[in-house]
Amino acid sequence: MLVPTVSFIESRAGTGTRLGSSRSGPGGRFVIEGSVPEPQRLPPGETARPLHSSHRHVWPCELDLMAQLVGLAPSERWVDWKEEPFTSAGRSHISGWQKPLHGPVSR
């Protein structure tokens, strides 16, 4: 199952991963393409600034947790479809999780 963005997760945390997990059999994969926001830099002396946005970003580690909660294990994470390695400098990611062939994912 391929989902083009992760913004759908905002109001239904985990719904997308539950859907991906329930529709795939043993060994099935759930793959998404997402973005990683630029860290916000504040001017010197400023400690907070209101953020006005219609959606909430989901960090890759949050996606990993949601996937684990529905029995999926991480299988890959790249920065692009050419399978370049994902690093902390990456501003996009292709992430995949897989249902185990036998038994539940260990937590």
Side-chain angles (χ1 to χ4, degrees), residues 19-62:
L19 178 64
S21 178
S22 67
R23 293 192 179 199
S24 63
R29 294 180 182 269
F30 180 65
V31 178
I32 64 163
E33 178 178 8
S35 63
V36 177
E38 278 289 329
Q40 183 164 354
R41 309 241 186 264
L42 297 174
E46 198 171 325
T47 58
R49 179 177 286 183
L51 176 64
H52 303 287
S53 177
S54 61
H55 66 282
R56 174 182 146 350
H57 288 284
V58 180
W59 296 95
C61 61
E62 291 177 285

Side-chain angles (χ1 to χ4, degrees), residues 3-107:
V3 179
T5 67
V6 295
S7 60
F8 73 95
I9 295 177
E10 177 223 332
S11 63
R12 300 179 199 137
T15 300
T17 50
R18 277 196 304 272
L19 178 64
S21 178
S22 67
R23 293 192 179 199
S24 63
R29 294 180 182 269
F30 180 65
V31 178
I32 64 163
E33 178 178 8
S35 63
V36 177
E38 278 289 329
Q40 183 164 354
R41 309 241 186 264
L42 297 174
E46 198 171 325
T47 58
R49 179 177 286 183
L51 176 64
H52 303 287
S53 177
S54 61
H55 66 282
R56 174 182 146 350
H57 288 284
V58 180
W59 296 95
C61 61
E62 291 177 285
L63 293 169
D64 289 343
L65 176 59
M66 285 188 271
Q68 180 184 11
L69 291 172
V70 296
L72 299 172
S75 57
E76 60 266 326
R77 180 164 288 134
W78 309 302
V79 75
D80 56 29
W81 289 104
K82 296 176 189 169
E83 300 182 16
E84 295 294 323
F86 179 77
T87 67
S88 61
R91 293 291 152 237
S92 64
H93 65 96
I94 310 300
S95 295
W97 301 268
Q98 185 171 13
K99 228 179 192 182
L101 293 172
H102 307 288
V105 173
S106 60
R107 295 181 184 174

